[in-house]
Amino acid sequence: MPAVKANSNTQTSDDPAPSTPLIEFSKEQDLSAYQTMLTIRRFEEKAGQMYGMGLIGGFCHLYIGQEAVVVGMQMALKEGDQVITGYRDHGHMIACGLDPKGVMAELTGRAHGLSKGKGGSMHMFSKEKGFYGGHGIVGAQVPLGTGLAFANRYRGNDNVTLAYFGDGAANQGQVYESFNMAELWKLPVIYVIENNRYAMGTSSTRSSAETNLSRRGLSFKIPGEQVDGMDVRAVKAAGDKAVAWCRAGKGPYILEMLTYRYRGHSMSDPAKYRTREEVDKVRSAHDPIDMVRQRILEKKFAKEEDLKKIDASVRDLVNEAAEFATHDPEPDVLELFTDIYR
Amino acid sequence: MPTNILMPALSPTMEKGNLAKWLKKEGDAIKSGDIIAEIETDKATMEVEASDEGTLGKILIAEGTQDVAVNTPIAVILNDGEDASSIKAGEPAASQKAAESAPPAAAKAEAPAPKEEKSAPAPQAPATPVAADPDIPEGTEMVTMTMREALRDAMAEEMRRDGDVFVMGEEVAEYQGAYKVTQGLLQEFGDKRVIDTPITEHGFAGLGTGAALAGLKPIVEFMTFNFAMQAIDQIINSAAKTLYMSGGQMGCSIVFRGPNGAASRVAAQHSQDYASWYSNIPGLRVISPSTAADAKGLLKAAIRDPNPVIFLENEMLYGHSGQVPKLDDFVLPIGKAKIARAGKDVTIISWSNGMNYALKAADELAKDGIEAEVIDLRTLKPMDTDTIIASVKKTGRAVTVEEGWAQSGVGAEIAMRIMEHAFDYLDAPVARITGKEVPMPYAANLEKLALPSVAEVVEAAKAVCYR
């Protein structure tokens, strides 16, 4: 099976929509996507290093390889839309526009982390940016995200909620309880399934009776489609379509993003369940950032030296974040007993 | 011999009902399966089917009669060859049986009392001198209502007050509530704010929590808290912990409510008390009232509270009537216990249905000259330690009463707090009366044994008094 190959098939029971055609990006779009994806990549590489140095503790799940998914989806959103995801959440926060300093300082458990050092890698939130976490229990964010969409519908606004989850969470019962209510009540929620092919160490073929996860909404009449999650343009195009569907009041939509994580499930996972060759094949042929970079050069949107400038500025941004997160003090001991009730 | 038709029990907890309508008249022939009457309970109107054949000889309870106790003979069916003259013999014995199954003393004590007698104890309840409630202004007019109605009124008032408040759960809307607690809300507020959910507790508890994270104020009804075990991950991991995990950025104002604990003859999977489970969790408030007034004042407070609140009701108490202050906005403080009965010899601490055992035990103890002080905790988390300690410092003795199990129970927590704060004042070790550590049995006799009893509370109180 090719590393990532979208079937481009949209699944719906009674209204088969055509698969979403790829859209070409403008210069600004390609450059912006490149910069954000690169920021996530460099941030995660740095977080991996800092974990190795003992500066980050606990569980730490890196997003490397999946960057095109959040960046493309974020490009389809407007102010007021909401995002919620599971524990592999650093990339989502950076894509939402959160300062890498606050994210990194949370990873190191410091006072100026996004959650004052009380949440850690898996639990970060930003009301201001419409980012609702950062949830550590597999699948729990799916009913929560459906509830965010419920609130939008209750208030009669046209905001849309993105509820991200993985191929592992896709087998959770609460996901289907959510699908049922979302379609029943026509809630504006897009279920973005980030299928990176492994639920921790179990490949989807070993854990899922139906591996085409875009079909998982069929019996609830929720349309779904598979998307090449390594191509940010394909993600953006599918995102636009799903967002339009939701804003028009047609109910939920499922996007299965075919993607791949280069690193282990978490920092402590040696990833022995797949071959080195499998990883290398994706990295060399389908890397989401390389593909944009190549395109930018081919289309002459920028020269090699312009991209190097971007690379350098991204490195600086991430280094500053790491520096900040290393020297920021630990939270005041009095914080132990704050924020339990309000 | 003529056959009596008895007032049927239409639900496990029904004690009485109204005879709304006779569909057959005296002299009518009756076949098994015929619908002969309609009965109203506080939950629903039900049809009564005949299970015997014959002639409707005599109607004993007239159409329109209110509060007919379960098992009261309501009519007599004559078999072939019998006539109305053979009825008389059956009557006295039957009515005696009905008297036995009349509502228990507690229900009587809560019967409507004339308003002007509010400050003085009502004559039918002399044995339970209730301390004046400091939360109710002197001279407030009181109205009699069931706890069920008080809960409904609390929700309706808060929904009128705040458009962000809505109620969701199984059968809360069109069915009017599985236990009729949400009766009439759909009619007043519409289906946007009174929402029937599929039977998917995990999903709708999470959905409600998500809506609360977005700033709405959901009331999530569990048909019973037994089913909330399906949803407990969302309640604890999402609702209770998010405020802390977000460094105070994002919390949720949400009420999870429904009946908790044993009902009657519904066995192990439908009879568990979750008070100690939820009161173990930082980030949750846990409320469990025993009276209609407390139910109203505390549910309104719970809905306004910016934190997730577990509101543990009790099916056995839904139909109990009590005096509720007639105030525009009666809100009680969360975290304040109430002295339900003042005394000096021993402190009995309970809440919810446990108060039934506690107050009746206090009546019994008074006959033996022991004046028990009974504390109704009302809120389990945060627990009103001050009120408990002040009482124990006075009495030197304490007994806790709960329907839940002993190990890691609320009684264990109360005993520990007393030891921490009033050890030197204790004249005896703290005693606890709890449900027995068994899954709730179905058989009536075993169920009774599994639950606390008045006798056990009396015995424990005497033991700590060395009597």
Side-chain angles (χ1 to χ4, degrees):
Chain A
M1 161 172 138
V4 266
K5 176 82 179 78
N7 293 347
S8 300
N9 53 349
T10 299
Q11 309 290 342
T12 175
S13 58
D14 50 12
D15 178 25
S19 64
T20 310
L22 204 66
I23 45 162
E24 288 303 324
F25 272 10
S26 67
K27 176 183 165 183
E28 289 68 31
Q29 285 175 318
D30 259 337
L31 285 171
S32 158
Y34 176 73
Q35 177 155 0
T36 312
M37 287 196 285
L38 194 67
T39 304
I40 296 171
R41 173 77 51 99
R42 296 286 172 262
F43 181 96
E44 294 290 67
E45 287 167 352
K46 182 60 82 177
Q49 276 175 24
M50 289 172 70
Y51 192 92
M53 293 159 68
L55 287 163
I56 298 172
F59 296 128
C60 186
H61 309 85
L62 301 182
Y63 198 64
I64 297 173
Q66 301 180 213
E67 296 90 344
V69 177
V70 285
V71 172
M73 285 307 296
Q74 199 69 29
M75 290 172 84
L77 298 185
K78 70 164 176 59
E79 181 92 19
D81 292 337
Q82 299 131 325
V83 170
I84 190 167
T85 186
Y87 43 75
R88 197 178 303 285
D89 57 353
H90 313 161
H92 302 69
M93 288 183 276
I94 290 167
C96 282
L98 283 161
D99 186 344
K101 279 183 186 164
V103 182
M104 196 67 96
E106 189 59 35
L107 296 184
T108 54
R110 304 304 170 98
H112 296 90
L114 268 180
S115 296
K116 298 193 216 164
K118 298 188 327 188
S121 166
M122 300 182 285
H123 317 110
M124 281 184 252
F125 308 80
S126 169
K127 205 163 230 176
E128 188 198 339
K129 300 286 184 189
F131 182 71
Y132 284 78
H135 294 270
I137 306 295
V138 174
Q141 75 273 23
V142 181
L144 293 171
T146 309
L148 296 171
F150 175 92
N152 290 331
R153 185 154 168 77
Y154 188 90
R155 290 178 167 136
N157 61 36
D158 72 341
N159 295 338
V160 166
T161 305
L162 300 189
Y164 288 93
F165 54 101
D167 46 295
N171 290 327
Q172 274 267 346
Q174 59 186 322
V175 169
Y176 300 94
E177 298 188 12
S178 301
F179 281 5
N180 184 42
M181 289 184 282
E183 179 64 28
L184 190 64
W185 300 332
K186 298 284 182 210
L187 303 181
V189 53
I190 302 169
Y191 297 110
V192 186
I193 307 176
E194 297 194 70
N195 183 356
N196 65 19
R197 297 169 53 187
Y198 294 91
M200 201 169 149
T202 305
S203 68
S204 52
T205 50
R206 291 201 299 125
S207 60
S208 296
E210 167 60 277
T211 53
N212 181 337
L213 304 180
S214 71
R215 296 170 56 87
R216 291 291 184 91
L218 275 185
S219 63
F220 304 94
K221 305 184 177 179
I222 304 176
E225 59 188 276
Q226 286 189 318
V227 181
D228 179 353
M230 303 303 264
D231 187 335
V232 68
R233 297 169 303 172
V235 173
K236 161 80 160 73
D240 282 343
K241 182 172 155 187
V243 164
W245 177 274
C246 286
R247 285 211 215 287
K250 294 180 178 175
Y253 205 93
I254 293 171
L255 295 177
E256 180 191 1
M257 299 292 175
L258 300 170
T259 184
Y260 199 76
R261 72 169 146 75
Y262 297 174
R263 297 293 186 93
H265 163 72
S266 68
M267 290 305 297
S268 49
D269 170 22
K272 297 286 189 206
Y273 41 82
R274 59 186 186 187
T275 61
R276 188 71 236 166
E277 291 69 41
E278 181 183 302
V279 183
D280 288 344
K281 201 169 147 196
V282 183
R283 284 195 94 129
S284 55
H286 294 278
D287 185 78
I289 300 176
D290 284 352
M291 287 196 292
V292 181
R293 190 184 170 93
Q294 235 171 328
R295 193 163 66 233
I296 288 171
L297 293 172
E298 275 166 17
K299 292 193 166 183
K300 303 198 188 323
F301 284 165
K303 298 195 190 84
E304 186 74 43
E305 55 261 40
D306 299 327
L307 292 180
K308 281 193 173 144
K309 272 186 207 153
I310 293 177
D311 297 357
S313 75
V314 165
R315 265 185 210 289
D316 287 348
L317 183 73
V318 168
N319 285 337
E320 277 167 34
E323 190 68 14
F324 177 78
T326 306
H327 295 104
D328 193 41
E330 289 189 313
D332 192 295
V333 291
L334 294 175
E335 287 291 348
L336 180 62
F337 292 110
T338 61
D339 306 322
I340 302 163
Y341 298 96
R342 51 176 184 175
Chain B
M1 208 184 131
T3 311
N4 281 340
I5 300 175
L6 304 181
M7 181 73 172
L10 302 171
S11 76
T13 54
M14 175 174 161
E15 290 171 354
K16 59 193 176 186
N18 303 333
L19 211 162
K21 197 173 180 185
W22 278 107
L23 300 169
K24 299 278 181 187
K25 56 184 191 300
E26 290 179 1
D28 282 358
I30 287 175
K31 292 196 308 293
S32 173
D34 280 353
I35 296 162
I36 55 172
E38 283 179 6
I39 285 175
E40 280 172 2
T41 68
D42 45 9
K43 292 179 194 169
T45 300
M46 308 279 280
E47 291 168 338
V48 180
E49 278 185 19
S51 51
D52 297 287
E53 304 211 338
T55 308
L56 186 61
K58 190 167 172 59
I59 288 176
L60 302 173
I61 302 289
E63 188 168 291
T65 306
Q66 308 270 316
D67 296 341
V68 182
V70 166
N71 284 338
T72 306
I74 55 173
V76 181
I77 292 184
L78 300 173
N79 299 317
D80 283 350
E82 292 173 344
D83 64 41
S85 64
S86 55
I87 292 170
K88 281 180 210 140
E91 253 187 69
S95 41
Q96 209 158 353
K97 182 170 184 281
E100 279 166 25
S101 64
K108 248 189 262 171
E110 286 174 351
K115 287 163 206 154
E116 58 272 23
E117 286 182 13
K118 190 230 124 203
S119 49
Q124 57 267 64
T128 310
V130 176
D133 192 333
D135 298 312
I136 301 170
E138 201 64 34
T140 302
E141 187 186 337
M142 304 295 270
V143 287
T144 302
M145 63 174 73
T146 61
M147 184 184 279
R148 173 181 284 115
E149 292 163 336
L151 291 165
R152 191 263 322 275
D153 286 359
M155 287 188 278
E157 287 178 21
E158 292 305 298
M159 288 175 78
R160 281 174 212 133
R161 188 178 165 266
D162 185 346
D164 284 344
V165 179
F166 67 95
V167 58
M168 69 189 310
E170 294 155 11
E171 310 290 5
V172 298
E174 293 198 7
Y175 194 86
Q176 306 289 309
Y179 295 102
K180 294 290 174 281
V181 177
T182 52
Q183 190 146 36
L185 295 184
L186 174 67
Q187 285 65 27
E188 179 173 354
F189 299 102
D191 60 4
K192 183 193 163 195
R193 298 180 67 194
V194 185
I195 302 154
D196 279 327
T197 64
I199 309 175
T200 51
E201 284 81 6
H202 196 183
F204 71 71
L207 189 150
T209 302
L213 289 174
L216 297 181
K217 295 166 187 166
I219 304 166
V220 174
E221 175 176 309
F222 292 117
M223 194 181 287
T224 82
F225 263 93
N226 299 285
F227 314 141
M229 270 214 274
Q230 300 249 358
I232 204 163
D233 172 64
Q234 288 290 359
I235 297 172
I236 293 172
N237 273 318
S238 301
K241 296 180 184 173
T242 298
L243 183 68
Y244 195 81
M245 295 192 302
S246 67
Q249 270 194 77
M250 206 172 276
C252 53
S253 179
I254 185 168
V255 176
F256 298 101
R257 52 154 289 273
N260 170 61
S264 178
R265 309 289 311 283
V266 290
Q269 292 178 336
H270 288 72
S271 303
Q272 190 168 335
D273 179 359
Y274 292 89
S276 70
W277 286 42
Y278 291 108
S279 64
N280 187 242
I281 307 299
L284 294 179
R285 299 198 190 287
V286 183
I287 296 172
S288 194
S290 75
T291 67
D294 288 350
K296 183 172 182 190
L298 285 167
L299 184 53
K300 281 167 67 80
I303 295 166
R304 287 184 203 183
D305 195 275
N307 301 290
V309 179
I310 305 293
F311 199 90
L312 302 172
E313 298 158 12
N314 190 295
E315 194 195 328
M316 307 300 284
L317 300 177
Y318 277 153
H320 283 202
S321 291
Q323 298 282 294
V324 177
K326 194 176 178 186
L327 295 170
D328 287 343
D329 199 19
F330 175 59
V331 184
L332 286 170
I334 294 171
K336 291 295 288 179
K338 182 172 74 176
I339 309 283
R341 173 186 174 122
K344 60 177 175 44
D345 297 327
V346 56
T347 303
I348 303 177
I349 303 142
S350 193
W351 64 93
S352 187
N353 202 38
M355 288 299 292
N356 272 334
Y357 312 107
L359 287 171
K360 283 179 200 161
D363 286 347
E364 293 295 315
L365 290 163
K367 291 177 193 162
D368 288 334
I370 297 173
E371 290 305 324
E373 179 146 295
V374 183
I375 295 177
D376 184 351
L377 282 182
R378 304 195 288 189
T379 301
L380 301 175
K381 191 179 189 78
M383 192 181 283
D384 184 358
T385 312
D386 291 350
T387 297
I388 298 169
I389 297 305
S391 177
V392 172
K393 283 183 176 175
K394 185 171 67 174
T395 62
R397 302 153 204 279
V399 176
T400 68
V401 184
E402 69 189 299
E403 291 194 340
W405 293 307
Q407 176 161 348
S408 314
V410 180
E413 175 63 26
I414 296 168
M416 187 66 201
R417 289 184 188 216
I418 293 172
M419 198 169 79
E420 285 170 336
H421 299 286
F423 185 72
D424 291 339
Y425 293 84
L426 283 176
D427 293 321
V430 177
R432 58 179 166 171
I433 297 301
T434 67
K436 312 304 178 292
E437 293 212 11
V438 296
M440 185 63 74
Y442 168 70
N445 64 329
L446 297 183
E447 182 186 51
K448 210 172 163 193
L449 285 171
L451 288 166
S453 69
V454 176
E456 286 172 340
V457 180
V458 169
E459 196 183 339
K462 285 185 176 172
V464 299
C465 291
Y466 304 115
R467 294 271 297 264

